[in-house]
Amino acid sequence: MSSNSVYSLHSSNASLVVDCTSGAPVVLYWGGRLDNATTPEMLRLLSTQQAAQASVTNAAPIALSPALGIGFHGDAGLRVHRNGCDWGVTPEVSSCTQPDDQTLEIRCIDRSCQIELHYRLSLDADSDTLSAQTCLKNLSATLLQVDRCDAPALPVANHLSHITAFKGRWAHEFQTETIGSFHGSFVRENQAGRTSHDSFPGLIVHDSLFGEHRGEGIALTLGWSGNHRMSVTRLISGRALAQLGEHFYPGEMQLGEQETYESPILYSSVTETGMTPLSQRLHRYVRSHLTDARMHGKLKPVHFNTWEAMYFDL
């Protein structure tokens, strides 16, 4: 592909920039709306890491699917093998298309491991919400064992140093828990088979000033009600990324020839003015894209629950 293969999606308050120049596709930027003066060369320069003493000169990029074959030192978001072989995945971009101004589709092929990856990223112009999905196809006649195939990974800016996640139990649901900056990985898994009180598949990565009406943040949630895994990792180089995907048990996901697996959709939105506009953008996306069209604009009936007050004594 040409050296100018950088693709941008913009909404009113957000911008996504993806570099498909060579090798695996990389998100150069996901955050508040960029102005027209910002160029791909600027973003490439800002993402360049200075070589540190006793470390690799050229660190592996944070690709949409960080993989072991490209030398990524963090937690690989794509782990596959064929009876212990063909696990060193090195996908390379084969095509990038934009069906419309708000959607980017990327295809990658690893001819050695004989797999194909298809990414679909769409930025909703009205709600500033990004939806991202990974599709994996087995191109070989040999059975492909899939241990992990996350939705596309998203980079996290250095100043977004705090994580707010959700926990809870029956009658004490949706409690927030915030932790500060750290080195390594924040990991939360759900293995209950369904969405549960203690592990909601969503989190917010934000700065230290974050509140209802101030501060920068990125919300990420997985459109999935089964077993899942989400992590935010800060590498020794200072780079950070967020990864969300389905949690597989050993042998649970296997692909025959030409069979495909689609990850759950990752939904993400950004804010530069606190929690309130962030939640409003996600609510707007749910109402316009995820609820039944018959409910759009319809007044909701009042539901009167007599159970706790009267049980069967009506």
Side-chain angles (χ1 to χ4, degrees):
M1 302 183 69
S2 71
S3 59
N4 296 321
S5 298
V6 177
Y7 298 83
S8 300
L9 301 177
H10 301 284
S11 63
S12 300
N13 299 287
S15 293
L16 175 77
V17 182
V18 183
D19 189 351
C20 298
T21 302
S22 62
V26 175
V27 173
L28 287 180
Y29 178 84
W30 168 232
R33 174 70 189 242
L34 297 173
D35 60 33
N36 295 331
T38 304
T39 65
E41 289 72 22
M42 293 178 184
L43 296 174
R44 282 199 187 109
L45 185 61
L46 287 171
S47 65
T48 302
Q49 291 272 308
Q50 183 176 2
Q53 189 71 22
S55 65
V56 293
T57 303
N58 296 312
I62 297 176
L64 292 182
S65 291
L68 298 173
I70 61 176
F72 183 69
H73 288 176
D75 194 13
L78 177 64
R79 292 179 181 268
V80 300
H81 66 90
R82 303 181 197 276
N83 196 25
C85 300
D86 293 344
W87 53 266
V89 179
T90 55
E92 295 189 353
V93 174
S94 62
S95 68
C96 294
T97 57
Q98 283 192 276
D100 53 63
D101 292 340
Q102 304 306 129
T103 304
L104 174 62
E105 296 188 0
I106 306 169
R107 290 191 180 274
C108 299
I109 294 180
D110 184 329
R111 302 190 185 282
S112 176
C113 293
Q114 298 186 69
I115 63 171
E116 178 180 297
L117 290 166
H118 176 208
Y119 303 101
R120 182 178 176 86
L121 304 108
S122 181
L123 181 57
D124 184 55
D126 178 56
S127 65
D128 308 302
T129 297
L130 172 70
S131 60
Q133 187 175 36
T134 303
C135 179
L136 169 67
K137 177 186 283 189
N138 179 17
L139 303 179
S140 170
T142 306
L143 192 69
L144 182 70
Q145 177 69 51
V146 183
D147 293 334
R148 186 169 169 185
C149 184
D150 290 345
L154 294 176
V156 174
N158 289 342
H159 67 283
L160 302 183
S161 57
H162 288 61
I163 300 169
T164 294
F166 304 92
K167 61 178 182 177
R169 55 178 171 77
W170 184 86
H172 199 61
E173 297 88 352
F174 235 73
Q175 303 301 303
T176 59
E177 181 179 33
T178 300
I179 63 172
S181 182
F182 62 93
H183 169 69
S185 295
F186 167 90
V187 179
R188 184 155 290 178
E189 295 180 343
N190 178 24
Q191 300 183 40
R194 60 180 176 84
T195 301
S196 53
H197 301 318
D198 62 298
S199 187
F200 173 77
L203 52 82
I204 303 169
V205 189
H206 54 85
D207 61 19
S208 60
L209 301 176
F210 194 71
E212 282 298 330
H213 300 285
R214 68 174 186 177
E216 295 184 44
I218 299 175
L220 305 108
T221 185
L222 200 63
W224 182 246
S225 59
N227 292 343
H228 61 264
R229 183 183 192 275
M230 58 182 184
S231 67
V232 178
T233 301
R234 192 168 299 278
L235 305 172
I236 190 64
S237 62
R239 298 181 300 163
L241 71 157
Q243 298 166 281
L244 288 82
E246 187 176 358
H247 183 286
F248 297 129
Y249 287 123
E252 181 179 357
M253 181 56 61
Q254 298 177 337
L255 298 180
E257 185 177 11
Q258 297 301 311
E259 288 187 335
T260 61
Y261 164 75
E262 292 184 351
S263 75
I265 299 175
L266 169 67
Y267 300 100
S268 179
S269 194
V270 298
T271 180
E272 295 178 317
T273 51
M275 173 71 85
T276 296
L278 184 62
S279 58
Q280 289 173 342
R281 288 164 188 171
L282 290 171
H283 293 166
R284 194 156 57 243
Y285 184 86
V286 169
R287 286 195 296 267
S288 61
H289 290 79
L290 302 182
T291 58
D292 192 298
R294 292 171 297 179
M295 297 300 294
H296 293 175
K298 184 178 180 180
L299 292 177
K300 308 302 187 290
V302 174
H303 180 91
F304 180 61
N305 183 2
T306 63
W307 177 249
E308 296 292 347
M310 305 179 69
Y311 292 92
F312 293 108
D313 299 327
L314 287 176

